[in-house]
Amino acid sequence: MNISRQFILRPVATILLMVAIVIGGLLAYKQLSVSALPQVDYPTIQVATQYPGAGPEVMQALVTSPLEKQFGKMAGLTVMRSSSSEGYSLITLQFSLNISMNVAEQQVQAAINAASNLLPSDLPSTPVYNKVNPADTPVMTLAILSHSLPLYEARDIVETRIAQKIAQVDGVGLLSISGGQKPAIRVQVNPHQLNSAGLSLSDIYTSITNNNVNSPTGNIDGEKRATTIYADGQLRTPEAYKELIIHYNNGAALKLKDIAQVVSDAEDIRQAAWYGTQPALLLNIQRQPNANVIEVVEQIQQLLPTLEASLPDSIDIAVVSDRTVSVKQSISHVQNELIMAIGLVVLVTFVFLRSFTATFIPSIVVPLSIIGTFGVMYFLGYSLNNLSLMALTIATGFVVDDAIVMIENIARHMEQGDSPLQAALKGSQEIGFTLLSLTISLIAVLIPLLFMGDVIGRLFQEFAVTLAVAILISLVISLTLTPMLCAKLLKAEHHQQEKPWQQWLRRGVDKIFQVYEYALNRVLQYQTVTLLVSLGTLLLTAVLYIVIDKGLFPTQDTGLIRIVTEAPQSASFKSVAERQLKIVEMIQEDPDVDTVSSFVGVDSTNATLNTGRILVQLHSDKARDSAQVVMARLQEKLSQQYEMQVFMQAVQDLTIDTQISRTQYQMTLSAVDNQLLKEWVPIFVEKIQSLSGLWGVTDNFQVNGAQVTVTVNREEASRLGVSMSAVDDALYNAFGQRLISTIFTQSAQYRVILEVENHFSQSPDNLKDIYVKGTSGLVRLDQIAQITLENAQLEKQRIDQFPAALVSFNLEEGYALSEVVDEIFATAKAIGLPASIDLQLQGSAKAYESSLSNTLWLLLAAVFTMYIVLGVLYESYIHPITILSTLPSATIGAFLALMLTNQELNMIGIIGIILLIGIVKKNAIMMIDFALHTEREEGLSPREAIHKAALLRFRPILMTTLAALFGAIPLMLSSGLGAELRSPLGLVLVGGLLCSQLLTVFTTPVIYLFFHRFQQVGRLKTE
């Protein structure tokens, strides 16, 4: 049966079929979205609850714990992390990949509803959830600046005119505003004047809440007329509050302005943000999991001109960072490398065929296969990203293989005197099964990638399917268009007189052929030595796999650096802000830094008052240093100042983490007893700081914050008629930025904040100025309580409801995760870390640990799959082993290439090795398939058959290998953004192909003969 026959005899139908593939592919290409990587994320939801004035202990007990108890019952929940800090509870819920985001969202909402009756009744708002990964860097950050308006007034405009519109954009998961500045009215009481009037802060609280009301008042429904009733119970301005009468003393009215200042200001005065060193509001826009980054940002960019036009002239918008700039540049680099790879593959083909017409026939397969793949990618919902374009770049060296084998076989028949049509019919019939075997076995290698688990497996599915589709389309083209073009275009090619340059190329190829023939004859004379070399390559492969450094993914340079700053744990907000600005000024001096944005204060991103965040956008031009070099330079510079610790890491396109840490790789220590963590976390961190290969080792277990403890003498308080609730209310009213009332307007709501004047909240001694109302009058706080200063934990962290501490670190250049992870665990064992403390890798470090255990099985699965497919195709147990014997030489080349360039074996390298398995076995298939054919048809001995097969198949083997090699060279030499992902793949393929080409063309014939003798011995014993 000849599959190609009808296509050779019906050229018009064949050409129209190809035209349909091209048109469909080009239309699909226009519709494909663009992104950095395939959109695969864990379904992750963050639940945030605000309770101003509540400390970490109170937040954990009153808010976090009731919510955690309900969330823990949800199906599909894999990890639950919580953070309870000053006024904030943040719970991050990570679900398994099998749970859809909609189902996860419904479960979270139901759990919040179930916990609502256990939460404090005076929460300013119910817990709010967002479908966003908190560790994901904002896709876009905007700075809102104003030179004339106070920022709290600007925020009011921003929230009503900008934030709501951007939040409505499809794919936006969370829009947060860093820097606070939410407008409010602050009532700042003078406790001395208040005491002189015989009043307490609770009297102010009651008076304001009773006089600022907005509640239903009913309506009048008469016989002929209906009328609504409206009572103006709202106080809307600071002036109105100042005139509020609090108390009458001997007939004289005591107004609020007599004992307090009433001002318009921010709701939380302990938050601030800057664009450079200029005060600003930062709009951080984060995408939903699986949302396309490019599409989200493009929609926002289309909105911005309209939004800017709606703002007053006194407000400006500046783009601080845009993740899509680096993504687009990275994609552009890959597209250029794809074009370069196509050119190199065509050049290799031309060198061997020495004819423009003959070169055109196999070369047309490359663009047709790639364009056709675009159509399938569109229907599968894939995007143009680094991995899918890498697959297409690698495919340029694969897809031409079948066409080369086809045209080479047809040309051989023409040289024997057949007409082009007869040669096309004969050659296609002979080689059809071989091409089918080559393609099926190559695609079979990719099957294990489809069954990789977790997010990494989902990530590489798009790569594997894209490559498989391109190879399948190339098979179709090679069986249809290629033989048809040979029949039509090769009619007189071999009758033409060769030109000098063609003769020169032919002599060069012939010389290589002669050298190979001589070397092959020598090898067949010394088969035992060759077998020992083959065995040696197998052993060397195992040794190199054990000793090579291993990692997860290369560290990317996206042009963004995320910095966490940390001041002393007892530092005040003002002190932290001043230190942060000094850091920013030093960063801005670096020539490669484009923009800097930063913020301090406790919010849904920043957990404690003594820490801050900085986002550094590097210049996008090629001339700048890499992010790693810039980070090292900044680290050296910033380490010279001792006012603030600085931890930095390069922002990555692939985020496996679900929490932000100070440095890149994370691990947690968790225990039932928090006291154990207090004892052992500092010891553990100090020990691993001394390990080579690590820098930026730190933890977020801050237990040395300053805390004023008020210990009430309950007997004395009871004697004076003071209740504990009165004590708590007095402290909360004075120092908690308590939200005591709400002003409702047509477009927004504003809070009224109760506190003491600023100079009465500067020191623990100020607590003595607080009076509490008892049954017999006002009682000074220090009369009934002892006030002491102690250390306290600034943030309470838990994992799956157990107390935890997050430890993080960066790798020094030249070190791999495999080198340091074992040392970390060995250090934990050496210091005697109690068994009750659970040390676990988290995020990308945990994914590395998982991949390490799966990598070997993945490679073995690829080899086993190959064996099964080849065994079925050849109906033999032995021939698949002969074919697979080529693999060790390829992996040796891959490992040596990585080691010589000081690179680790990561998931990109593993993918390259799996592809090598598919490529190098093609050499053996072409030899063995032809040898078996000549044994059957011509009656040759095994030695004669394999010798003839090796010589006749040497040219297509060399051509296909060089095509794959040159197709990978652009990736190996790639530069610019995203090169860190592409380069290891090209390096592995080039190194593996060079080594395998030198060895397999000699070892395969010898192993073929060895197994033939083995079979003969087996038959004799059976007889």
Side-chain angles (χ1 to χ4, degrees):
M1 178 181 177
N2 187 357
I3 300 173
S4 306
R5 181 180 181 84
Q6 291 302 317
F7 296 97
I8 296 171
L9 299 176
R10 302 184 63 185
V12 174
T14 305
I15 290 173
L16 290 177
L17 176 64
M18 298 303 117
V19 171
I21 290 175
V22 171
I23 293 174
L26 291 176
L27 290 174
Y29 176 78
K30 293 290 185 182
Q31 303 299 318
L32 287 173
S33 60
V34 179
S35 61
L37 291 169
Q39 302 303 318
V40 179
D41 297 284
Y42 291 109
T44 306
I45 294 179
Q46 184 187 54
V47 181
T49 312
Q50 188 178 2
Y51 196 11
E57 290 276 3
V58 173
M59 287 301 299
Q60 182 171 272
L62 298 187
V63 178
T64 306
S65 290
L67 288 171
E68 281 182 327
K69 186 175 181 181
Q70 297 301 322
F71 291 146
K73 301 175 184 178
M74 296 186 300
L77 182 67
T78 56
V79 180
M80 176 167 59
R81 294 185 176 90
S82 68
S83 167
S84 304
S85 58
E86 186 73 34
Y88 265 93
S89 167
L90 294 173
I91 302 175
T92 303
L93 307 166
Q94 180 179 305
F95 294 84
S96 85
L97 287 167
N98 298 323
I99 300 293
S100 72
M101 182 59 83
N102 290 336
V103 171
E105 182 182 7
Q106 291 169 8
Q107 290 190 92
V108 169
Q109 184 60 69
I112 292 174
N113 293 340
S116 60
N117 64 328
L118 299 173
L119 298 176
S121 58
D122 59 342
L123 278 179
S125 59
T126 58
V128 177
Y129 69 87
N130 291 286
K131 297 179 287 184
V132 65
N133 184 349
D136 202 4
T137 303
V139 297
M140 194 176 200
T141 299
L142 304 175
I144 310 300
L145 309 163
S146 179
H147 296 282
S148 56
L149 280 180
L151 282 177
Y152 61 81
E153 291 186 21
R155 169 150 181 169
D156 195 21
I157 298 171
V158 167
E159 283 197 330
T160 53
R161 301 190 190 180
I162 297 179
Q164 291 181 11
K165 291 294 183 183
I166 293 177
Q168 293 167 9
V169 170
D170 187 32
V172 171
L174 174 64
L175 190 148
S176 60
I177 301 179
S178 297
Q181 306 301 325
K182 195 171 184 180
I185 291 178
R186 303 187 73 89
V187 178
Q188 301 170 338
V189 179
N190 185 316
H192 291 170
Q193 293 176 347
L194 186 67
N195 177 49
S196 300
L199 300 174
S200 68
L201 285 165
S202 60
D203 294 319
I204 307 299
Y205 174 94
T206 303
S207 181
I208 292 175
T209 53
N210 288 342
N211 284 279
N212 181 48
V213 293
N214 189 11
S215 55
T217 50
N219 59 74
I220 298 171
D221 189 16
E223 290 185 6
K224 296 183 178 180
R225 190 175 185 179
T227 307
T228 59
I229 302 171
Y230 172 70
D232 187 11
Q234 290 258 277
L235 299 172
R236 296 183 174 84
T237 64
E239 289 69 27
Y241 281 93
K242 289 178 182 179
E243 298 300 322
L244 177 63
I245 298 175
I246 304 298
H247 180 67
Y248 280 94
N249 188 9
N250 296 325
L254 178 70
K255 295 184 177 181
L256 187 59
K257 65 181 180 181
D258 298 326
I259 56 172
Q261 298 180 33
V262 184
V263 296
S264 292
D265 205 338
E267 185 177 301
D268 186 351
I269 58 174
R270 298 187 185 94
Q271 290 189 44
W274 301 269
Y275 176 48
T277 56
Q278 183 178 351
L281 294 172
L282 300 178
L283 271 70
N284 302 305
I285 304 162
Q286 289 179 267
R287 66 181 177 90
Q288 291 184 12
N290 292 323
N292 186 282
V293 176
I294 301 287
E295 291 178 358
V296 171
V297 172
E298 284 181 348
Q299 290 181 72
I300 295 170
Q301 288 172 336
Q302 292 171 5
L303 266 179
L304 280 180
T306 305
L307 296 177
E308 288 185 86
S310 68
L311 296 175
D313 294 337
S314 56
I315 296 178
D316 298 317
I317 299 179
V319 177
V320 177
S321 66
D322 181 354
R323 290 268 307 273
T324 62
V325 173
S326 62
V327 173
K328 290 176 180 176
Q329 287 184 356
S330 178
I331 296 300
S332 175
H333 285 306
V334 189
Q335 289 172 330
N336 292 336
E337 289 159 12
L338 174 59
I339 295 170
M340 191 185 304
I342 293 173
L344 288 173
V345 169
V346 172
L347 179 62
V348 169
T349 309
F350 179 75
V351 167
F352 279 88
L353 299 180
R354 305 184 302 281
S355 164
F356 290 106
T357 304
T359 303
F360 168 77
I361 295 172
S363 299
I364 195 68
V365 176
V366 181
L368 282 177
S369 300
I370 292 173
I371 292 171
T373 305
F374 291 143
V376 180
M377 288 173 63
Y378 174 75
F379 285 110
L380 292 175
Y382 291 170
S383 63
L384 289 174
N385 55 67
N386 274 296
L387 287 184
S388 61
L389 287 173
M390 278 166 59
L392 293 177
T393 304
I394 292 300
T396 58
F398 288 9
V399 298
V400 77
D401 288 2
D402 293 342
I404 287 174
V405 175
M406 176 67 79
I407 193 173
E408 192 274 339
N409 205 50
I410 292 172
R412 185 168 56 84
H413 282 282
M414 290 177 64
E415 290 169 0
Q416 294 173 357
D418 289 335
S419 68
L421 180 60
Q422 289 175 326
L425 291 171
K426 281 185 182 179
S428 60
Q429 184 172 9
E430 283 180 358
I431 210 70
F433 179 77
T434 302
L435 294 185
L436 194 62
S437 302
L438 291 172
T439 303
I440 292 175
S441 60
L442 181 56
I443 292 175
V445 176
L446 302 173
I447 291 175
L449 291 179
L450 302 179
F451 292 95
M452 286 177 67
D454 218 354
V455 70
I456 296 176
R458 295 283 184 94
L459 194 69
F460 283 109
Q461 280 181 12
E462 188 163 326
F463 176 93
V465 171
T466 300
L467 183 56
V469 168
I471 293 169
L472 278 173
I473 292 175
S474 74
L475 173 66
V476 172
I477 296 170
S478 297
L479 291 174
T480 56
L481 182 66
T482 300
M484 186 275 290
L485 290 177
C486 288
K488 297 296 181 183
L489 300 181
L490 290 185
K491 287 183 179 180
E493 285 294 324
H494 72 280
H495 295 297
Q496 295 180 356
Q497 185 68 33
E498 285 189 338
K499 297 177 182 178
W501 61 269
Q502 291 175 316
Q503 295 176 0
W504 183 82
L505 287 175
R506 179 174 53 78
R507 285 195 296 269
V509 174
D510 289 344
K511 184 65 177 177
I512 295 172
F513 182 83
Q514 292 168 8
V515 171
Y516 172 66
E517 184 177 13
Y518 171 79
L520 179 62
N521 291 331
R522 299 289 291 176
V523 165
L524 290 176
Q525 292 176 4
Y526 300 99
Q527 294 185 31
T528 304
V529 175
T530 307
L531 287 172
L532 291 174
V533 170
S534 299
L535 183 61
T537 59
L538 180 61
L539 295 175
L540 184 58
T541 299
V543 171
L544 290 177
Y545 178 79
I546 293 170
V547 301
I548 194 171
D549 293 336
K550 300 174 185 68
L552 181 64
F553 283 102
T555 301
Q556 291 177 265
D557 179 357
T558 60
L560 282 174
I561 299 173
R562 182 167 57 205
I563 298 177
V564 177
T565 57
E566 183 180 320
Q569 295 181 29
S570 59
S572 66
F573 170 76
K574 182 180 179 181
S575 171
V576 172
E578 291 172 351
R579 296 168 195 236
Q580 180 99 334
L581 280 175
K582 289 181 182 178
I583 298 292
V584 168
E585 289 172 357
M586 295 173 73
I587 293 172
Q588 285 183 313
E589 293 171 359
D590 192 284
D592 288 329
V593 170
D594 186 11
T595 62
V596 182
S597 61
S598 63
F599 63 92
V600 294
V602 178
D603 61 7
S604 59
T605 305
N606 206 41
T608 58
L609 196 64
N610 70 316
T611 57
R613 302 297 170 93
I614 301 175
L615 188 65
V616 179
Q617 174 78 61
L618 303 179
H619 289 296
S620 58
D621 57 74
K622 296 180 181 179
R624 72 164 173 84
D625 291 330
S626 68
Q628 294 294 329
V629 173
V630 175
M631 284 168 57
R633 190 164 62 226
L634 289 175
Q635 190 72 40
E636 183 180 0
K637 182 178 182 179
L638 297 175
S639 64
Q640 296 173 6
Q641 56 82 34
Y642 300 99
E643 296 182 339
M644 212 169 197
Q645 289 183 286
V646 177
F647 305 98
M648 56 186 72
Q649 57 181 299
V651 171
Q652 303 294 290
D653 286 326
L654 177 63
T655 305
I656 298 177
D657 306 310
T658 54
Q659 58 185 332
I660 295 177
S661 57
R662 286 155 170 73
T663 39
Q664 185 172 0
Y665 297 103
Q666 305 173 0
M667 67 184 88
T668 55
L669 288 86
S670 59
V672 176
D673 185 3
N674 195 54
Q675 286 300 124
L676 265 179
L677 295 179
K678 286 184 179 181
E679 178 185 351
W680 282 97
V681 169
I683 297 172
F684 175 72
V685 171
E686 182 182 358
K687 288 294 182 182
I688 66 170
Q689 281 174 340
S690 61
L691 295 179
S692 58
L694 303 183
W695 68 277
V697 179
T698 185
D699 66 271
N700 67 349
F701 199 66
Q702 303 186 76
V703 294
N704 294 316
Q707 173 178 288
V708 177
T709 301
V710 179
T711 306
V712 177
N713 185 329
R714 291 178 179 265
E715 290 186 8
E716 184 65 15
S718 179
R719 186 181 67 80
L720 296 173
V722 177
S723 66
M724 281 303 299
S725 62
V727 173
D728 278 5
D729 278 345
L731 293 170
Y732 193 11
N733 290 331
F735 306 109
Q737 297 193 94
R738 189 171 189 177
L739 313 180
I740 62 171
S741 189
T742 304
I743 302 169
F744 296 92
T745 67
Q746 295 296 322
S747 59
Q749 300 80 42
Y750 307 100
R751 301 289 192 176
V752 180
I753 314 296
L754 178 60
E755 62 184 351
V756 295
E757 290 182 1
N758 288 336
H759 59 275
F760 288 104
S761 60
Q762 302 293 310
S763 164
D765 292 336
N766 291 134
L767 269 69
K768 297 175 182 178
D769 298 319
I770 302 302
Y771 288 80
V772 186
K773 182 170 285 189
T775 53
S776 56
L778 295 178
V779 178
R780 210 164 97 160
L781 184 61
D782 61 350
Q783 288 182 250
I784 59 169
Q786 184 180 359
I787 300 170
T788 56
L789 188 62
E790 300 176 351
N791 288 335
Q793 192 169 335
L794 296 181
E795 178 187 8
K796 297 277 189 177
Q797 282 213 336
R798 296 205 290 203
I799 290 184
D800 296 328
Q801 303 184 57
F802 288 104
L806 180 68
V807 179
S808 60
F809 60 90
N810 284 330
L811 291 177
E812 289 183 0
E813 193 169 353
Y815 283 84
L817 263 177
S818 59
E819 294 180 84
V820 301
V821 167
D822 290 341
E823 288 191 39
I824 289 172
F825 281 95
T827 301
K829 186 176 181 181
I831 63 174
L833 191 72
S836 55
I837 296 180
D838 187 28
L839 174 60
Q840 292 284 344
L841 297 175
Q842 298 293 333
S844 54
K846 184 177 182 180
Y848 155 75
E849 186 181 40
S850 174
S851 70
L852 196 63
S853 60
N854 294 331
T855 295
L856 185 60
W857 291 110
L858 182 65
L859 293 174
L860 292 175
V863 173
F864 181 73
T865 305
M866 284 287 302
Y867 178 83
I868 295 296
V869 171
L870 292 172
V872 170
L873 289 171
Y874 287 99
E875 188 60 28
S876 170
Y877 298 110
I878 297 297
H879 294 318
I881 298 176
T882 308
I883 294 169
L884 295 176
S885 67
T886 60
L887 303 184
S889 60
T891 50
I892 286 174
F895 290 155
L896 289 176
L898 290 172
M899 294 172 77
L900 289 173
T901 54
N902 199 29
Q903 295 196 40
E904 63 188 18
L905 176 64
N906 49 46
M907 291 309 301
I908 302 295
I910 294 296
I911 301 305
I913 290 173
I914 289 175
L915 295 180
L916 277 175
I917 292 173
I919 298 171
V920 300
K921 56 90 185 114
K922 296 177 76 172
N923 298 349
I925 287 178
M926 282 193 277
M927 278 191 199
I928 292 170
D929 191 64
F930 191 86
L932 292 173
H933 177 77
T934 52
E935 278 190 56
R936 287 193 304 267
E937 300 297 325
E938 301 179 21
L940 298 179
S941 67
R943 176 167 179 146
E944 292 171 334
I946 194 64
H947 184 269
K948 183 178 181 179
L951 295 179
L952 288 178
R953 287 292 181 238
F954 179 69
R955 187 169 69 167
I957 286 173
L958 191 59
M959 287 176 67
T960 55
T961 301
L962 289 178
L965 189 148
F966 276 82
I969 284 177
L971 289 179
M972 182 184 72
L973 301 178
S974 60
S975 60
L977 293 175
E980 304 85 6
L981 277 178
R982 306 189 297 271
S983 179
L985 182 61
L987 190 65
V988 164
L989 290 174
V990 170
L993 288 171
L994 282 174
C995 187
S996 67
Q997 181 64 33
L998 291 173
L999 291 176
T1000 57
V1001 290
F1002 298 110
T1003 59
T1004 302
V1006 173
I1007 294 173
Y1008 176 84
L1009 293 175
F1010 170 78
F1011 279 118
H1012 177 78
R1013 292 192 295 270
F1014 180 79
Q1015 281 182 309
Q1016 292 295 105
V1017 172
R1019 289 196 189 101
L1020 290 174
K1021 287 183 177 180
T1022 303
E1023 293 172 2

